[in-house]
Protein backbone atom coordinates (compact mmCIF):
# COMPACT_ATOMS: atom_id res chain seq x y z
CA UNK A 1 0.00 0.00 0.00
CA UNK A 2 1.31 3.42 -0.91
CA UNK A 3 -0.10 6.93 -1.04
CA UNK A 4 -0.73 9.26 -3.98
CA UNK A 5 2.77 10.71 -3.65
CA UNK A 6 4.27 7.19 -3.74
CA UNK A 7 6.24 8.03 -0.59
CA UNK A 8 7.01 4.38 0.19
CA UNK A 9 8.23 3.74 -3.36
CA UNK A 10 10.41 6.87 -3.22
CA UNK A 11 11.76 5.82 0.20
CA UNK A 12 12.92 2.55 -1.36
CA UNK A 13 14.19 3.66 -4.77
CA UNK A 14 16.04 6.69 -3.42
CA UNK A 15 17.93 4.54 -0.91
CA UNK A 16 21.72 4.40 -1.07
CA UNK A 17 23.07 0.94 -1.86
CA UNK A 18 24.29 0.64 1.74
CA UNK A 19 20.74 0.94 3.12
CA UNK A 20 18.79 -2.18 4.05
CA UNK A 21 15.74 -0.85 2.19
CA UNK A 22 17.79 -0.86 -1.00
CA UNK A 23 17.18 -4.63 -1.10
CA UNK A 24 13.38 -4.36 -1.38
CA UNK A 25 12.33 -5.93 -4.67
CA UNK A 26 9.67 -4.26 -6.76
CA UNK A 27 8.69 -7.58 -8.31
CA UNK A 28 9.16 -10.28 -5.69
CA UNK A 29 8.66 -10.89 -2.00
CA UNK A 30 11.24 -9.37 0.36
CA UNK A 31 11.50 -10.34 4.03
CA UNK A 32 13.49 -8.51 6.69
CA UNK A 33 14.29 -10.27 9.97
CA UNK A 34 14.30 -8.41 13.28
CA UNK A 35 17.93 -7.34 12.92
CA UNK A 36 17.20 -5.88 9.49
CA UNK A 37 14.01 -4.36 10.90
CA UNK A 38 16.13 -2.49 13.45
CA UNK A 39 18.25 -1.06 10.63
CA UNK A 40 15.08 -0.14 8.74
CA UNK A 41 13.87 1.73 11.83
CA UNK A 42 17.11 3.70 11.86
CA UNK A 43 16.63 4.59 8.19
CA UNK A 44 13.02 5.64 8.75
CA UNK A 45 14.16 7.86 11.64
CA UNK A 46 16.41 9.74 9.20
CA UNK A 47 13.44 10.87 7.11
CA UNK A 48 12.93 14.64 7.37
CA UNK A 49 9.72 15.51 9.22
CA UNK A 50 8.13 17.03 6.12
CA UNK A 51 8.51 13.72 4.25
CA UNK A 52 7.15 11.52 7.08
CA UNK A 53 3.84 10.65 5.42
CA UNK A 54 1.13 8.52 7.06
CA UNK A 55 2.31 5.55 4.99
CA UNK A 56 5.89 5.89 6.24
CA UNK A 57 4.67 6.33 9.82
CA UNK A 58 2.62 3.14 9.40
CA UNK A 59 5.76 1.36 8.13
CA UNK A 60 7.67 2.66 11.16
CA UNK A 61 5.00 1.47 13.60
CA UNK A 62 4.74 -1.97 11.98
CA UNK A 63 8.51 -2.34 11.81
CA UNK A 64 8.80 -1.40 15.47
CA UNK A 65 6.27 -4.15 16.33
CA UNK A 66 8.27 -6.65 14.24
CA UNK A 67 11.51 -5.68 15.95
CA UNK A 68 10.05 -6.01 19.47
CA UNK A 69 8.40 -9.34 18.68
CA UNK A 70 11.28 -10.91 16.72
CA UNK A 71 9.17 -11.21 13.57
CA UNK A 72 9.57 -10.35 9.90
CA UNK A 73 8.74 -7.32 7.76
CA UNK A 74 7.29 -8.48 4.45
CA UNK A 75 7.22 -6.44 1.25
CA UNK A 76 5.30 -7.77 -1.75
CA UNK A 77 6.22 -6.48 -5.20
CA UNK A 78 3.79 -6.29 -8.10
Amino acid sequence: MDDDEESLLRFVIEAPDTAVRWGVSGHDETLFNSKQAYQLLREIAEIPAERATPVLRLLRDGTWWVYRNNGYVQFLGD
Side-chain angles (χ1 to χ4, degrees):
M1 172 177 82
D2 209 344
D3 53 23
D4 291 340
E5 293 83 36
E6 296 185 324
S7 59
L8 179 58
L9 177 63
R10 285 187 300 120
F11 177 65
V12 171
I13 63 173
E14 293 174 358
D17 61 0
T18 57
V20 70
R21 68 185 189 267
W22 183 82
V24 173
S25 172
H27 304 286
D28 294 316
E29 176 185 43
T30 305
L31 290 174
F32 289 162
N33 61 30
S34 61
K35 183 175 180 179
Q36 293 163 319
Y38 180 75
Q39 178 59 34
L40 184 59
L41 285 169
R42 293 177 65 199
E43 294 172 17
I44 294 168
E46 295 173 355
I47 297 171
E50 64 274 4
R51 289 188 61 195
T53 64
V55 169
L56 294 175
R57 288 192 300 270
L58 183 62
L59 175 62
R60 179 200 61 210
D61 295 347
T63 302
W64 182 244
W65 185 93
V66 164
Y67 175 69
R68 285 192 329 246
N69 292 285
N70 202 28
Y72 291 88
V73 177
Q74 179 184 34
F75 292 90
L76 297 175
D78 283 344

